[in-house]
Amino acid sequence: MGRMTVTPDLMKISEIWIRIFNKMDADEKVAKDFGSGDLLHCSEIHTIMAIGKNPDINLTSLSHLLGISKSAISQMVGRLTKKNLVERHRDPDNDKEILLCLSPKGTIAYLGHEQHHAKIYARMHRNLGDLSDKDAALILRFLSAMEETLDDRDHVPG
């Protein structure tokens, strides 16, 4: 198999991508308050977001949705219940089934996270401006290629 030539442009793209990845990784490790008064880690707010978008979801469905083991999601829900962000209740149609929903405090965190994303989108638009269809297609192609590269990393020898 022939060797690919790494162009200066590809090298620069790679360097910027690594910087972005490192900044995002560091940012995700910092717990944040989304208005509920609780410092929430990334995994906690993503669980809150999933429950908020899927009220009355059960643990099994939530574990599938988030790609996390049922045991891990059960522990997460336990922590969020202790923080009074998530409530459990029995399914009226199946007394054995426990369903999850957000508490009023959890709803505040959910809405705060939505506002957090709205601010990020506004900054992105300010920094990027309006995109032509062609530019958007190129960015989507690039991001898809980067995701595929990350997905393939386990299959690359060496």
Side-chain angles (χ1 to χ4, degrees):
M1 184 158 73
R3 235 180 133 159
M4 186 187 122
T5 304
V6 178
T7 66
D9 285 343
L10 187 58
M11 194 65 142
K12 182 130 180 103
I13 288 169
S14 179
E15 290 167 359
I16 293 170
W17 178 255
I18 290 168
R19 262 198 323 273
I20 291 168
F21 186 81
N22 289 338
K23 288 177 184 182
M24 289 179 73
D25 186 50
D27 185 61
E28 294 216 345
K29 290 177 181 168
V30 178
K32 295 175 184 67
D33 181 355
F34 294 98
S36 67
D38 296 280
L39 290 177
L40 300 172
H41 290 277
C42 189
S43 57
E44 292 173 314
I45 195 62
H46 286 156
T47 302
I48 288 170
M49 296 306 291
I51 295 169
K53 290 178 181 174
N54 301 278
D56 293 334
I57 192 169
N58 65 27
L59 282 173
T60 301
S61 297
L62 184 60
S63 107
H64 289 302
L65 181 68
L66 293 174
I68 301 170
S69 73
K70 195 171 170 188
S71 168
I73 204 64
S74 182
Q75 291 175 21
M76 174 68 68
V77 167
R79 284 194 302 273
L80 294 174
T81 301
K82 260 188 190 167
K83 292 181 180 184
N84 194 27
L85 296 163
V86 170
E87 297 174 347
R88 302 173 198 233
H89 61 275
R90 294 213 179 269
D91 184 339
D93 299 328
N94 177 355
D95 200 41
K96 292 181 181 179
E97 189 75 68
I98 303 294
L99 303 178
L100 306 170
C101 64
L102 297 180
S103 68
K105 189 176 170 189
T107 301
I108 290 169
Y110 174 88
L111 295 173
H113 188 257
E114 291 279 299
Q115 288 179 334
H116 172 72
H117 273 263
K119 288 176 186 173
I120 290 170
Y121 298 146
R123 283 195 314 263
M124 283 175 62
H125 186 264
R126 185 184 67 232
N127 292 333
L128 203 52
D130 290 326
L131 292 176
S132 69
D133 290 346
K134 185 179 176 183
D135 287 344
L138 176 63
I139 291 170
L140 288 170
R141 191 174 125 224
F142 167 75
L143 292 174
S144 294
M146 294 308 294
E147 183 176 25
E148 196 174 321
T149 301
L150 288 172
D151 290 345
D152 289 345
R153 74 176 174 246
D154 293 331
H155 307 292
V156 176

